[in-house]
Amino acid sequence: MKRYELLLVGVWVILSGCTQPGNVPEASETWQFRDVAADVGLRFTHTNGATERYFMPEIVGSGVAVFDYDGDGDQDVFLVQGEPVDAPARGSGHRLFRNELVPGGTLRFTDVTEAAGVGTKDVGMGVAVGDIDNDGRPDLYVTSYGANRLFRNLGEGRFAEITAAAGVAETRWSTSAVFFDYDRDGWQDLYVANYVDFTPATNKDCKSAQGRKDYCGPQVYNGLPDRLFRNLGHGRFEDVTERSGIGTAPGPGLGVTPFDANADGWPDLYVANDGKPNHLWLNQKNGKFREAAQEVGAAMAENGVARAGMGVAVADIDGNGAPDVLVTNLTNEGATLYGNEGDKGFFDVSQHHGVNRSTLRRTGFGVGWFDSLNRGQLDVFVANGAVKLEAESGAGPNPYGQTNQLLRNEGGQLRDVSAEEGPGLALSEVSRAAAFSDLDNDGDIDIIVTNNGGPVRLLRNGLRRGGHWLLVTMDGGDSNKLGAGTALELSRPGQPPLRRMVEWGYGYLTANDPRVHFGLGEASGAVAVQATWPDRKREVFRFEGVDRMVTIRRGAGQPVP
């Protein structure tokens, strides 16, 4: 260990909670989020492989996936491990933790990496989750600086690496990836965001504004084109990067998420690029994509300058039926919120909603919209951590550390309430990915945060006085078994509808809980959920009671013409 890696570990040990293992702290009247990772057995420390040479990959990772790998009804956790870029592996490899909540009833994690066969040692970056063969078992795609890996879920707790056989090998520096069905044939395809053409041999000597040796930005290297792999069925893919048009606009890509940007019923892709205009790939419905971010106003900030796009998350925050896009950026840039006005395009509404002002003094990575209080309104969590020494950075033990943020939605204004919501949000760390999931199945959303060169955090939501809720699991049948890409609209008496999407891939290097969480506020009676499946067929499902988990099965609802 060298430089800040060694020093940060000491700081994190000191700052870790003072509870004994197994004694999970209860929420207080004033604190909503507490870090309970170590208490519930989620023990993991990221290795960034830092050296005195300041290789860029050291500062980028790492990712996390939340998914039910064993089909027992609770969400398990996969954590991506790093290694030195040009030295022998010294870390523990990637780790898979099984959630013992079902059938035990207590939130507890067990490391099952070796039995599952996923503990490879890579310079790991991110992870995507999808069902590549429609067998209902989620599979893993792990990105790296180096060779990416596809792990097929064999059932009975075991995975097999099938990267080469599946045709999805990639050896360039990959970051975020996402499974989505771009051609609507019922098979999940794979998009891989690539970053820059860094190699140890081309490592540049960069310095901070204060003249100290520091990490370089992406502008000193060439961006790489992303990759698109079409799923041929039964675990086989073909590279359609060039044929689809995706290869025409290189990165440097960091965050990616699919969504229907123009309401034509076909999934598009938004890619956050670091220091270059962001990309919006519009699906042309014929196997091709057209890059249109600048054309529709979603490429750069209001001042016409490209920002350091990191993470990306999509939600309809103004209720107009069109999904808006939130992108996290570098310190002194602030996050960018692109409001979707349908045929009029996208507009930078960051200042109007207060998001830019709240995030200006931090470097944001992982990000997600979620209903923290079950009010029926979406709030924002941002995982922060610097990549360069800032003007105020001292020579202390944690010069890249920053605190994370919870932005509460108050009538459309996103106000930073981090200081009010618990000690788990007060730690100054080098945070990267953030995954959102109801890990204890109690009806509120918890957050897993990874730290570069430091321990994972599990911010357990201790909500006591929130609203009612509904947690929806999808069953798409023989085609798209897990229902990815399905749009849900929940109706409550006397209230506007709530719109959500079944997607794992958003944020930064992350795969999130695929179940759809609805906060319902005071609505405790019957609710109706309309599901629009990826092939545009629609059904309505009615539920007489709330505050429970339900399953929507294709073909079991009332058809909508």
Side-chain angles (χ1 to χ4, degrees), residues 256-257 312-314 367-369 434 436 503-508 510-513:
V256 59
T257 192
V312 56
V314 172
V367 62
W369 297 93
F436 301 84
E503 288 294 354
W504 295 356
Y506 61 88
Y508 175 78
T510 300
N512 299 274
D513 190 340

Side-chain angles (χ1 to χ4, degrees), residues 140-371:
L140 288 171
Y141 187 79
V142 182
T143 65
S144 302
Y145 173 80
N148 297 345
R149 300 182 189 271
L150 175 61
F151 294 98
R152 189 175 196 169
N153 192 333
L154 304 177
E156 299 182 349
R158 296 181 299 112
F159 291 78
E161 188 193 339
I162 61 166
T163 315
V168 292
E170 172 63 292
T171 58
R172 290 174 289 188
W173 185 359
S174 301
T175 52
S176 293
V178 65
F179 287 96
F180 77 121
D181 185 7
Y182 79 89
D183 51 3
R184 297 194 342 192
D185 65 352
W187 298 97
Q188 287 191 292
D189 312 299
L190 174 64
Y191 188 96
V192 181
N194 287 328
Y195 195 40
V196 297
D197 64 351
F198 165 89
T199 67
T202 60
N203 186 45
K204 305 292 194 299
D205 185 14
C206 296
K207 291 181 170 55
S208 69
Q210 297 76 40
R212 289 182 285 174
K213 190 170 184 178
D214 202 0
Y215 290 99
C216 295
Q219 66 275 6
V220 303
Y221 302 99
N222 294 319
L224 295 173
D226 297 341
R227 301 287 295 277
L228 179 62
F229 298 94
R230 180 173 179 263
N231 193 333
L232 302 175
H234 307 290
R236 287 286 302 166
F237 292 77
E238 64 172 334
D239 186 347
V240 295
T241 303
E242 300 306 321
R243 188 168 78 225
S244 65
I246 294 297
T248 61
L254 284 179
V256 59
T257 192
F259 75 109
D260 186 358
N262 53 7
D264 65 355
W266 290 75
D268 310 300
L269 279 161
Y270 192 91
V271 182
N273 288 317
D274 189 0
K276 298 289 185 181
N278 299 323
H279 290 153
L280 176 60
W281 293 103
L282 294 180
N283 195 327
Q284 302 300 289
K285 313 174 192 176
N286 59 359
K288 298 183 182 299
F289 287 83
R290 180 173 67 88
E291 205 292 294
Q294 294 199 49
E295 172 188 325
V296 303
M300 296 177 283
E302 188 177 36
N303 60 2
V305 176
R307 289 178 173 168
M310 313 289 191
V312 56
V314 172
D316 176 18
I317 66 161
D318 52 12
N320 68 349
D324 311 297
V325 179
L326 178 63
V327 181
T328 55
N329 300 302
L330 203 63
T331 299
N332 296 324
E333 292 181 341
T336 309
L337 178 59
Y338 297 98
N340 188 344
E341 296 297 330
D343 293 340
K344 297 179 181 178
F346 289 81
F347 298 87
D348 185 346
V349 295
S350 312
Q351 298 292 346
H352 174 73
H353 288 278
V355 64
N356 185 269
R357 178 176 61 253
S358 297
T359 58
L360 189 62
R361 301 304 301 159
R362 294 173 177 84
T363 294
F365 280 89
V367 62
W369 297 93
F370 76 116
D371 190 343

